[in-house]
Amino acid sequence: MDNLSLDSGEQRPDAGSLSIKDLFFKYIRFLPLFILSAALGLVGAYLYLRYATPVYQSSGSIIIRNDKAASGGDEKLTQLMQGETQVNLQSEIEFLRSRQLMERVVTDLGLNWSYEAIGKVKDMNVYHIAPFRIEALFLSDSSTAFSFVFTFVSNQSFHLSKEGPTYAYGQTFTVPQGSFRLVRTQGAAPIGEYRVSWAPTNSVAAGLVQSLIIAPKAQGTSILTLSLQSTSPQLAADVLNRLMLAYGLARVEERNASNQRTKAFVDERVREVRAEVDSVAQIQVAFLRANNISNLEAQGEASLSRKDETDKAIYEQNTQLYVVNTIYNYLSSSQNNFEAVPSSLTVSDPTLSTMISAYNVAQLERKTLLNGNVPRGNVRIQRLEADIEKLRRNILESLRNIRTTYNNNIAGLRSQNAAAESEMRALPAKQKRALEIQREL
């Protein structure tokens, strides 16, 4: 037998050297597999489009305006009464995502009821396009979710479930959940089956809050972008529009309440200062006439400049201390246990401002629940009241520490004032008294 040997330098032909005919016969055997893969892909795409429920997303933008910074009036008074003016976007985002604000939206839009057309393959959300609406004349338990299936057999009547009794539009039907009736709306007569579901306000609001996405539109701006996904594009758009409207109304209500509290505070302080000014002015006039002093400003300004500076500093510290004591007395009063701290009464302390903000949010949530007919014995309200009491104690403790700081500052300033007053002892007694009256005025 002859021995065959292979040349190690010989190479097999690569695909690039094959002709079109060779390539055709090489891959033609895989043609059924290609056709089967394409068919399966088309069938899968068809089934997905046929059975999947479409989800739509609506978006909107809202500008967070700095109302405090835009307000007029004396700059020092504005800083004292309103504290920091910088917008806290994170706080506004949390307020927009708050449960109580979304519950307003649910109530305004009537989202407790949802309508679905039952199909052979999938159900369709018919929000705002349902050919009828349901009216609740009486609810046995508004905190429990339930649903009905209506089968429409003609233009004038329907079944409650497939084998239930027949009712006409406008006719009241009573079931364990309460008493209801259907009312026709404009459009074509309903055909087939519809599912109508009821859900409590807090449950619907919680679901919408979970689907809500809020983020700043760009770095360094006060514009927020809101987006919401839903099986009904109209529902998502309505919720976002109503949420932004409810946010504006809530801020207006809060601002009005704050303005009323600020006005009451300022009016009370003005009455006190007016009485003091009138009294001191009378003393000054009598003293000047009795001692024949005509040019008070030109007498002794240089020697009293240091004392004037310390007097002003003491006055400013006393004003801050007055605000601290006002907040402390307000929170210490049992009449204000469940009242928000007036936003007009703030001090320039970030930690205290954060605690007061959390305290006011908890008070607002508690009032919202009570206004929504939630009983006082509800577990959620009891938990809120416990949180409010804990925050109140923490705020009072912080106020005591701040008050101690102000008292120490005032004591130091009074020491400086005493040193400056010793320089005045050389002034004539009449001139000294006149200047003291002017300074007090």
Side-chain angles (χ1 to χ4, degrees), residues 199-396:
T201 301
N202 58 350
S203 176
V204 179
L208 291 174
V209 168
Q210 290 180 353
S211 303
L212 180 65
I213 299 176
I214 305 177
K217 187 172 184 179
Q219 186 69 26
T221 67
S222 59
I223 301 177
L224 297 179
T225 300
L226 293 76
S227 61
L228 182 69
Q229 291 185 344
S230 173
T231 54
S232 168
Q234 185 63 45
L235 173 62
D238 287 351
V239 169
L240 289 183
N241 289 332
R242 183 64 65 167
L243 178 63
M244 290 186 282
L245 177 61
Y247 168 82
L249 292 176
R251 284 308 187 207
V252 169
E253 293 170 0
E254 179 184 353
R255 188 160 55 250
N256 289 340
S258 174
N259 289 341
Q260 290 299 324
R261 290 190 290 265
T262 301
K263 181 179 181 299
F265 170 78
V266 172
D267 288 346
E268 179 183 357
R269 186 59 182 158
V270 165
R271 285 192 296 270
E272 296 176 359
V273 173
R274 182 181 290 118
E276 295 174 1
V277 168
D278 291 343
S279 175
V280 176
Q282 292 175 3
I283 295 174
Q284 182 189 42
V285 170
F287 183 82
L288 293 178
R289 287 178 179 176
N291 295 277
N292 196 24
I293 299 176
S294 59
N295 191 1
L296 182 62
E297 288 78 5
Q299 302 177 22
E301 272 188 28
S303 60
L304 295 178
S305 60
R306 285 183 55 199
K307 183 171 177 60
D308 287 342
E309 292 175 0
T310 55
D311 284 341
K312 290 178 182 179
I314 292 173
Y315 174 79
E316 292 176 357
Q317 291 291 314
N318 277 324
T319 303
Q320 292 284 345
L321 184 60
Y322 178 85
V323 175
V324 169
N325 288 331
T326 301
I327 300 176
Y328 187 90
N329 294 333
Y330 183 91
L331 289 175
S332 299
S333 175
S334 59
Q335 297 178 353
N336 302 320
N337 282 346
F338 299 109
E339 294 291 336
V341 176
S343 60
S344 59
L345 300 177
T346 59
V347 292
S348 55
D349 186 276
T351 303
L352 181 59
S353 298
T354 301
M355 289 191 293
I356 291 178
S357 176
Y359 181 88
N360 288 345
V361 168
Q363 293 281 19
L364 176 61
E365 185 175 357
R366 177 183 176 275
K367 284 189 175 181
T368 302
L369 291 175
L370 291 177
N371 293 336
N373 297 325
V374 177
R376 289 288 299 273
N378 185 275
V379 175
R380 187 175 175 187
I381 291 184
Q382 292 179 354
R383 184 170 62 253
L384 279 173
E385 291 180 352
D387 294 340
I388 289 170
E389 179 58 23
K390 182 178 179 181
L391 285 169
R392 189 183 68 84
R393 291 196 300 268
N394 291 340
I395 293 172
L396 289 174

Side-chain angles (χ1 to χ4, degrees), residues 95-114:
F95 184 71
L96 280 166
R97 290 180 55 85
S98 63
R99 186 79 61 85
Q100 60 268 27
L101 198 62
M102 189 61 76
E103 287 178 358
R104 283 192 183 187
V105 175
V106 173
T107 302
D108 293 343
L109 295 178
L111 299 182
N112 300 96
W113 292 107
S114 60

Side-chain angles (χ1 to χ4, degrees), residues 395-415:
I395 293 172
L396 289 174
E397 179 62 26
S398 180
L399 288 172
R400 283 192 288 267
N401 294 335
I402 295 174
R403 185 165 56 184
T404 300
T405 301
Y406 283 144
N407 285 328
N408 292 337
N409 292 342
I410 292 172
L413 289 170
R414 284 176 177 169
S415 177

